[in-house]
Amino acid sequence: MSHGKQFTLWTHKTSPHGWKIVFVLEEFGFTWEPKWIDINKNEQKDPAFTKYNPNGRAPALIDHTNNDFTIWESNAILQYLVDKYDKARTISIAPGTDEYYIQLQWLYFQGSGQGPYYGQLAWFILYGPEKPQSVLDRYRNEILRVMGVLEDVLSKQEWLVGGRLTVADISFFTWNAIVVDHFLGEGFDFAKEFPAVAKWHEKILERPAIKAAWDERKRLAALK
């Protein structure tokens, strides 16, 4: 391995997509180098990054222990990391089992159901030159609908799959934290409206590696 670290992670300092990758890297105790992209300068469109991710979106991961193998799309990165390196199945389900496909089901739902709606609400609030109330209402209602799906499942079981924390659970954490803290309004009571989801969310944050990484994200965000 010519590189000094096991992995290089291209992302931006507050990316919800990038930090869930950090969670898994830290859970495994891997060494990794961050390459911070400044999205305010549109650096995600720079050839220095798009040579790793032609979609021009963070994150992208380079695995220096695997011939500099490069992969993008956050949940594909999560799946790669656990399939390749989590042989003890500490935070994942073994491939080929029925529960493995339930894990995939939740990763797909996070990528198609949670991320886009949560991200669109955040974009319109932070960057939208216009903020049509109908648009804000649509995305807020979709967020509440997605939380309702999670609430229905988590009110009956502790974790999404396998009776223990997996990457399926981890994948939802960052957007839930960001939206609840910043974009649902002061009147939103997470614990009251979605008690099972709120409890699950706090249990994820109890993981030492996840808490340490999330604290670091908060530190970096405060430096802006």
Side-chain angles (χ1 to χ4, degrees), residues 1-2 32 38 49 57 70 98 101 104 126 140 179 182 191:
M1 183 176 67
S2 59
W32 59 281
D38 189 340
F49 176 64
R57 295 287 188 276
T70 301
D98 288 348
Y101 295 101
L104 284 180
L126 291 176
R140 188 177 191 279
V179 165
H182 301 292

Side-chain angles (χ1 to χ4, degrees), residues 19 47 66 69 72 87 118 123 139 149 165 174 181 199 212:
W19 281 93
N66 185 24
F69 177 77
W72 47 276
K87 303 306 182 184
Y118 288 42
W123 186 87
Y139 290 125
V149 173
L165 177 136
T174 53
D181 287 348
K199 181 179 178 182

Side-chain angles (χ1 to χ4, degrees), residues 133-144:
Q133 192 60 47
S134 61
V135 171
L136 298 178
D137 288 345
R138 167 170 167 72
Y139 290 125
R140 188 177 191 279
N141 288 338
E142 282 300 307
I143 288 170
L144 299 178

Side-chain angles (χ1 to χ4, degrees), residues 2 11 23 34 51 53 71 76 92-93 102 105 117 123 137 141 151 169 173 199 222:
S2 59
T11 188
F23 292 162
K51 69 179 181 180
N53 183 352
I71 185 167
S92 65
I93 305 296
I102 301 300
Q105 163 194 281
Y117 292 119
W123 186 87
D137 288 345
N141 288 338
E151 182 70 22
D169 305 284
F173 177 88
K199 181 179 178 182

